[in-house]
Amino acid sequence: MHKKIARWVQDKKSGIKRAVVTAYDYPLARLAAEAGVHGILVGDSLGMVVGGGGDTLGVTLEQMAYHTGMVVRGAGDCLVFADLPFGSYEKGPEQAWATAVTLLRAGADVVKLEGGAEMASTVAFCAERGINICAHIGLTPQRVRQWGSFQRQGTDADSARRLQADAGALADAGARFLVLEAVPDALAANITRDITIPTIGIGAGPDTDAQVLVIHDLLGLGTESPPFARRYIEGGRIVRDALAEYVREVGNSQFPPRRKR
Ligand SMILES: Nc1nc(=O)c2c([nH]1)NC[C@@H]1CN(c3ccc(C(=O)N[C@@H](CCC(=O)O)C(=O)O)cc3)CN21
Ligand SMILES: CC(C)C(=O)C(=O)O
Ligand SMILES: [Mg+2]
């Protein structure tokens, strides 16, 4: 096993929490690595927080590969996860494998795909052929057209049981990690206890092995953030104030300074 992944498993056993952020380019990946973040996810949330789209469905494999390359160059010792985008893997194991290869060639350590037990054969196919897979269940944004909006999952007993079974099937198939998105805290805690692979939660409470946040939410750069996100700085205000000051200084000739020669 990859030394970095073995460390994640060891930390799960010891109860040491790990922090993941999304990033989509070199400068923010570098800052995350310098700050001691453990993992960076090149998420298909790219299409929303960078691209301004209303969902993630428009993101292409070429875009994911391009941004994965940028992130990898800044990621230092972070484990780099990259999302398989909508439409690039769902047909079956061979399509998923070819897509995963593209992102591994771009430098990703792990590729992430959305879906439950129905993806287990795809996970097994890729895992048996040398690809580290992170599965992703709960609120899987690539299925938003079936739901009509981003809705929490696993909130009734039936769907909670289904998610618990999905988690087991994906772990048994050889997934190395499991993202749990927007599910009840208790469900995420139960799944985290039941499986040996590290869980990475977002909107899933404090009891997953790791947390992931979209970096634009964390930095206060997002326009719309989910209810569970925490803004650690008001980045939008800081950036807007700086830009407004620049406009002012150009307007009154304070910038640039006059040079002698
Ligand atoms: N900026 C950003 N941050 C994210 O974390 C993120 C995205 N974008 N885009 C893709 C998905 C969508 N995400 C979401 C969005 C909303 C909820 C949510 O909990 N919504 C409310 C209202 C939705 C409803 O009507 O059910 C909820 O209480 O369920 C959860 C995750 C997480 N992801
Ligand atoms: C929110 C995380 C889990 C994600 O899939 C993304 O950023 O695309
Ligand atoms: Mg995603």
Side-chain angles (χ1 to χ4, degrees):
M1 197 192 291
H2 194 306
K3 223 190 226 160
K4 284 189 209 169
I5 298 180
R7 177 70 188 281
W8 279 71
V9 176
Q10 188 192 322
D11 282 355
K12 176 187 176 96
K13 287 181 189 148
S14 319
I16 299 171
K17 303 282 186 173
R18 313 215 100 199
V20 179
V21 296
T22 71
Y24 314 95
D25 62 18
Y26 173 79
L28 282 177
R30 234 186 93 155
L31 292 173
E34 288 170 4
V37 163
H38 303 103
I40 300 179
L41 169 64
V42 189
D44 59 353
S45 50
L46 170 71
M48 299 179 69
V49 297
V50 176
D55 59 39
T56 60
L57 305 194
V59 175
T60 66
L61 179 59
E62 289 67 31
Q63 292 166 356
M64 288 304 303
Y66 181 52
H67 285 274
T68 297
M70 299 180 196
V71 165
V72 164
R73 288 188 284 277
D77 287 334
C78 289
L79 196 65
V80 176
F81 300 72
D83 269 347
L84 300 187
F86 177 68
S88 75
Y89 64 94
E90 301 91 331
K91 276 201 290 185
E94 303 196 4
Q95 189 198 20
W97 180 79
T99 306
V101 165
T102 300
L103 295 186
L104 258 63
R105 284 193 175 135
D109 297 306
V110 181
V111 300
K112 180 163 77 59
L113 55 81
E114 297 183 9
E118 77 284 357
M119 298 306 300
S121 58
T122 291
V123 170
F125 185 94
C126 292
E128 286 160 5
R129 287 162 181 76
I131 294 170
N132 296 315
I133 300 281
C134 175
H136 177 171
I137 62 172
L139 196 175
T140 44
Q142 293 175 12
R143 298 184 186 200
V144 69
R145 296 277 165 86
Q146 278 187 330
W147 295 326
S149 65
F150 296 119
Q151 293 168 14
R152 293 181 63 78
Q153 300 293 309
T155 50
D156 61 80
D158 260 12
S159 70
R161 258 195 302 278
R162 193 164 52 249
L163 287 171
Q164 199 131 14
D166 286 339
L170 292 161
D172 288 347
R176 293 289 197 205
F177 299 90
L178 179 64
V179 165
L180 297 169
E181 177 164 350
V183 299
D185 296 7
L187 175 61
N190 288 338
I191 289 173
T192 298
R193 184 178 14 80
D194 287 353
I195 62 180
T196 58
I197 61 172
T199 60
I200 306 171
I202 173 164
D207 295 325
T208 53
D209 299 307
Q211 295 290 328
V212 57
L213 267 185
V214 169
I215 199 158
H216 290 67
D217 298 337
L218 192 160
L219 298 180
L221 296 170
T223 43
E224 292 152 70
S225 297
F228 53 74
R230 181 172 295 174
R231 304 162 81 92
Y232 284 84
I233 53 168
E234 288 298 328
R237 198 180 60 212
I238 294 169
V239 170
R240 199 179 315 104
D241 288 354
L243 292 171
E245 189 177 351
Y246 166 68
V247 171
R248 207 161 43 243
E249 290 201 350
V250 169
N252 65 18
S253 301
Q254 276 183 278
F255 180 86
R258 205 168 297 282
R259 285 183 295 191
K260 292 282 190 292
R261 44 171 286 140

